[in-house]
């Protein structure tokens, strides 16, 4: 089973050609048709826009130029472009409603966007309200059907859903490594939910294993990214916002660390 429709998100000001190529290439690996979505918060007094301080006429020309650039890329790959232009809140709401008609949402690295804070708002809004998984891509495509993934496993609903969202995207016999980041080893006799999940995945034909990782000098997000890179995984899978959104905003958490950070490996997040 594969994804059939991918929505990749852009803003008007970012240097996004490399990300656009990566998104289109990754969609092709999933046998999916890509749509390039351009979100453009309009210059309304008191509202956030980027670039700031543009007149309406200048802003419209700026957005039109970016839309034309995306269409140039899209036509080469039988893709389409959709534009979400309104106030920030209204454009985000329109984007969320549209995203529910896709199988997976693709967001690029921070460098592909002119306004990093709006990028974070986009990810958080889509993660919490779209009911779809989000694939955070670096500036490179997924080049083959994923045969190895690492899952940040903590037994939560969010981690379980993220894993289930990842399964249609990987090889039917993929290696799936469930990693639980803990401060210390559990008792050797303890049977964990990870062991039970491995039994389920093995019965489905996957090569599944579970192990413990220690944080060391890194936080949980850094530990998972390090382990995924060391394992040469095709992507990392995590559940998004296991703690409340407010708590993660105030005190931080794995989801926010992943969203804020730069990573060389793709990350699939689901809530």
């Amino acid at each position: 089973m594969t994804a059939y429709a991918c929505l990749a998100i852009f803003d008007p000001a970012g240097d996004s050609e490399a990300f656009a190529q990566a998104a289109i290439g990754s969609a092709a690996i999933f046998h999916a048709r890509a749509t390039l979505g351009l979100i453009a918060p309009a210059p309304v007094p008191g509202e956030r826009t980027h670039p700031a301080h543009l007149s309406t006429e200048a802003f419209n020309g700026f957005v039109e130029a970016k839309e034309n650039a995306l269409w140039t890329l899209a036509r080469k790959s039988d893709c389409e472009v959709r534009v979400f232009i309104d106030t920030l809140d209204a454009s985000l709401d329109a984007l969320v409603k549209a995203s529910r008609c896709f199988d997976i949402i693709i967001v690029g690295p921070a460098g592909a966007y002119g306004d990093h804070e709006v990028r974070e708002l986009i990810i958080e809004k889509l993660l919490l309200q779209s009911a779809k998984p989000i694939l955070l891509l670096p500036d490179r495509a997924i080049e083959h059907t994923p045969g190895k993934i690492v899952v940040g496993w903590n037994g939560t609903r969010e981690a379980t859903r993220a894993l289930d969202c990842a399964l249609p995207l990987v090889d039917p016999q993929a290696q799936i490594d469930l990693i639980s980041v803990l401060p210390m080893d559990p008792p050797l006799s303890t049977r964990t939910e990870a062991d039970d999940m491995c039994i389920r995945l093995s019965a489905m034909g996957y090569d599944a294993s579970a192990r413990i990782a220690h944080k060391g000098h890194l936080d949980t997000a850094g530990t998972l990214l390090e382990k995924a890179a060391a394992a040469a995984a095709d992507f990392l899978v995590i559940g998004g916002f296991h703690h409340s959104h407010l708590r993660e905003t105030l005190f931080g958490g794995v989801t926010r660390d992943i969203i804020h950070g730069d990573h060389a490996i793709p990350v699939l997040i689901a809530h």
Side-chain angles (χ1 to χ4, degrees):
M1 182 178 177
T2 55
Y4 295 107
C6 297
L7 176 64
I9 310 299
F10 302 82
D11 75 358
D15 182 11
S16 53
E17 182 173 353
F19 165 53
Q21 298 286 8
I24 292 170
S26 297
I29 292 297
F30 299 142
H31 306 288
R33 188 167 186 267
T35 295
L36 311 183
L38 174 60
I39 181 168
V44 176
E47 291 279 349
R48 187 186 188 96
T49 186
H50 191 90
H53 313 303
L54 285 181
S55 67
T56 299
E57 182 179 0
F59 176 81
N60 289 340
F62 192 71
V63 173
E64 182 179 1
K66 185 57 173 279
E67 182 183 1
N68 290 338
L70 290 177
W71 269 116
T72 298
L73 294 171
R75 291 191 182 99
K76 297 176 182 177
S77 305
D78 191 29
C79 302
E80 67 172 354
V81 176
R82 295 187 61 178
V83 180
F84 305 89
I85 182 168
D86 208 320
T87 63
L88 178 58
D89 287 343
S91 58
L92 284 172
D93 287 341
L95 177 62
V96 167
K97 290 178 181 178
S99 71
R100 294 172 182 148
C101 300
F102 292 83
D103 298 290
I104 188 168
I105 314 301
I106 303 178
V107 177
Y113 298 84
D115 191 326
H116 296 178
E117 291 184 18
V118 169
R119 172 185 175 269
E120 292 163 13
L121 284 174
I122 290 169
I123 296 171
E124 292 173 8
K125 188 107 173 176
L126 289 171
L127 189 56
L128 293 170
Q129 297 185 23
S130 72
K132 300 297 179 178
I134 298 175
L135 180 63
L136 302 181
L137 277 186
D139 270 340
R140 64 175 177 84
I142 293 176
E143 299 176 345
H144 54 81
T145 300
K148 185 174 186 178
I149 62 173
V150 166
V151 181
W153 183 256
N154 58 6
T156 61
R157 179 186 70 86
E158 291 79 9
T160 303
R161 183 163 188 275
L163 171 58
D164 284 348
C165 287
L167 295 182
L169 305 176
V170 304
D171 185 90
Q173 297 179 318
Q175 182 178 340
I176 301 178
D177 193 1
L178 275 62
I179 297 182
S180 301
V181 180
L182 299 176
M184 62 183 68
D185 287 326
L188 292 177
S189 61
T190 300
R191 176 169 168 169
T192 68
E193 294 89 349
D195 297 320
D196 291 332
M197 182 59 75
C198 286
I199 292 173
R200 174 207 173 205
L201 293 170
S202 297
M204 297 169 68
Y206 298 106
D207 179 10
S209 61
R211 58 192 175 97
I212 304 296
H214 300 288
K215 287 185 181 180
H217 66 285
L218 299 172
D219 56 22
T220 299
T223 300
L224 290 171
L225 288 166
E226 180 183 64
K227 297 300 183 184
D234 294 303
F235 60 84
L236 170 66
V237 179
I238 65 166
F241 292 128
H242 163 53
H243 299 299
S244 72
H245 184 206
L246 176 60
R247 177 178 172 183
E248 290 223 2
T249 299
L250 294 175
F251 303 110
V254 177
T255 311
R256 292 193 66 82
D257 290 342
I258 291 288
I259 292 172
H260 282 285
D262 292 323
H263 36 83
I265 183 172
V267 180
L268 185 81
I269 310 179
H271 177 64

